[in-house]
């Protein structure tokens, strides 16, 4: 056991206890003097992992653990271990990396209409790259659009027009690359307001974007209308399918009405699609796709005069583990269409149970007509009290704001027997609780990735930053 450096501190701050292992396993503030035995370290890690896995294995955690099969994860980890130590930057040493990545990109492109795109557009030549996650798959096309507009239209103050439900990665990319992001409020149907977006387009617009589906409400923006708009304005159109790319095609195949959102739509020039969500791969991978190679070139970086030699890399990182790409490839070929369809059928069955169950609760409203990610709001009760009640019952949902609400993103753990019906029962009981709420304000808020932390709105930003600090420090 490591030595525990004692420092007394209140174990639970405004964000809850961020360091629950201090008593059981101590805290490292410096490297241990002596080496530790791997078995000893593994005992510690196994105990931590078991405890944290038990939390989501109830099926009561929204999103994030998309597959949830321990065997599946163990299999992907075995694949990972074969290539974990290999650096994809040194591609001559691992031609296997080109096989895995090229095939993951090709399979993803085909799933998102790459072949059918040619019927409308003979120039279409869908290509892409593997990135570290959805955020990178979003910010790289932003860079590409900026560079293209600079070269071809001499635009020095680039702007992008997006619906305000779009993922914060767009704001992050705009911040990184000096792009002005114009976030246009969505319409009363919670979808991108195409006319308002048209009015926001100006001479400096480099691209527009929409989601299929968006994170807050799981809704698909009117991509075909956005496509007309993009073609009419002569700008790019990015479709953020981080959240939907690997499930909407299968939902459509099952016979649900899903409007076209991919490269079949002629104005779509780039897409982001996360393998580490519904692709059921390990965390740390996503696919960015472009309609043609010229646009993809705009995101590349290369340098010829460095003492260290010639340097070129397509995406943000330099060194990358081949294990991620190999395990993503393995997830895709192991599941195949058959596996994705089977998983999607289970997810939609659970989602349909939840939607029809909640439809019978008059105090609750489902936002729009969602498929697998269902957002709830209410104008009758304080919805955050409902979320508080659900949190007490072990549910961890994702808080929303404007309007106040929360969503349940149905993943495979929610398809376990009884989970969907338990949710309907508990949310109904939560509404009863919220009808006669306690005197204290609801604890639930709307922190992305933070579950149900309590925040005073006037200090939100400062607290968010303090939270990031706290996430990287020992107490
Ligand atoms: C998850 C998600 C992203 C960002 O993905 P990360 O992998 O977290 O970087 C972008 N857009 C939507 C709609 C998402 O759900």
């Amino acid at each position: 056991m490591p030595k525990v450096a004692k420092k007394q501190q209140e174990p639970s701050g405004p964000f809850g206890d961020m360091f629950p292992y201090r008593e059981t396993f101590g805290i490292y503030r410096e490297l241990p003097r002596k080496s530790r035995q791997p078995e000893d370290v593994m005992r510690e890690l196994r105990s931590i992992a078991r405890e944290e896995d038990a939390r989501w294995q109830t099926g009561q955690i929204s999103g994030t653990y998309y597959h949830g099969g321990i065997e599946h994860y163990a299999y992907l980890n075995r694949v990972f271990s074969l290539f974990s130590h290999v650096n994809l930057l040194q591609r001559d040493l691992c031609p296997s990396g080109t096989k895995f990545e090229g095939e993951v990109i090709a399979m993803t492109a085909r799933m998102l209409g790459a072949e059918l795109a040619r019927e409308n557009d003979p120039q279409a030549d869908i290509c892409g790259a593997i990135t570290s996650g959805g955020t990178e798959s979003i910010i790289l096309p932003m860079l590409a659009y900026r560079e293209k507009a600079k070269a071809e239209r001499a635009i020095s103050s680039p702007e992008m027009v997006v619906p305000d439900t779009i993922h914060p990665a767009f704001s992050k990319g705009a911040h990184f690359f000096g792009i002005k992001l114009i976030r246009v409020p969505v319409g009363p149907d919670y979808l991108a307001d195409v006319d308002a977006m048209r009015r926001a387009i100006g001479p400096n617009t480099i691209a527009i974007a929409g989601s299929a589906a968006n994170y807050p409400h799981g809704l698909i923006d009117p991509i075909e209308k956005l496509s007309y708009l993009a073609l009419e304005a002569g700008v790019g159109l990015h479709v953020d399918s981080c959240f939907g790319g690997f499930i909407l095609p299968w939902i459509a195949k099952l016979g649900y009405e899903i409007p076209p959102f991919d490269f079949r739509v002629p104005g779509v020039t780039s897409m982001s699609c996360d393998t580490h969500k519904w692709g059921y791969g390990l965390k740390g991978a996503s696919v960015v796709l472009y309609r043609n190679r010229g646009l993809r070139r705009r995101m590349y970086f290369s340098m010829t005069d460095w003492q260290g030699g010639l340097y070129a890399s397509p995406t943000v990182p330099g060194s990358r583990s081949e294990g991620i790409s190999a395990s993503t490839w393995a997830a895709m070929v192991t599941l195949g269409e058959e596996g994705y369809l089977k998983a999607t059928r289970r997810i939609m069955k659970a989602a349909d149970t939840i939607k029809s169950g909640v439809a019978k609760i008059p105090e609750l409203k489902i936002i729009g007509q969602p498929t697998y990610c269902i957002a709830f709001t209410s104008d009758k009760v304080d919805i955050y009290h409902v979320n508080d009640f659900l949190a007490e019952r072990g549910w961890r949902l994702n808080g929303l704001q404007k309007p106040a609400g929360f969503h349940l993103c149905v993943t495979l753990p929610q398809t376990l027997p009884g989970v969907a019906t338990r949710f309907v029962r508990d949310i109904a009981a939560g509404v009863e609780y919220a009808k006669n709420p306690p005197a204290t304000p609801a604890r639930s808020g709307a922190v992305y990735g933070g579950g149900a932390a309590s925040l005073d709105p006037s200090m939100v930003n400062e607290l968010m930053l303090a939270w990031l600090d706290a996430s990287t420090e020992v107490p």
Side-chain angles (χ1 to χ4, degrees), residues 40 145 155 258 462:
D40 175 41
Y145 290 123
I155 288 179
I258 302 292
E462 180 49 38

Side-chain angles (χ1 to χ4, degrees), residues 434-462:
K435 280 183 184 168
N436 297 294
T440 48
R443 291 183 307 282
S444 298
V447 186
Y448 184 104
S454 86
L455 287 174
D456 171 350
S458 67
M459 295 171 68
V460 172
N461 201 48
E462 180 49 38

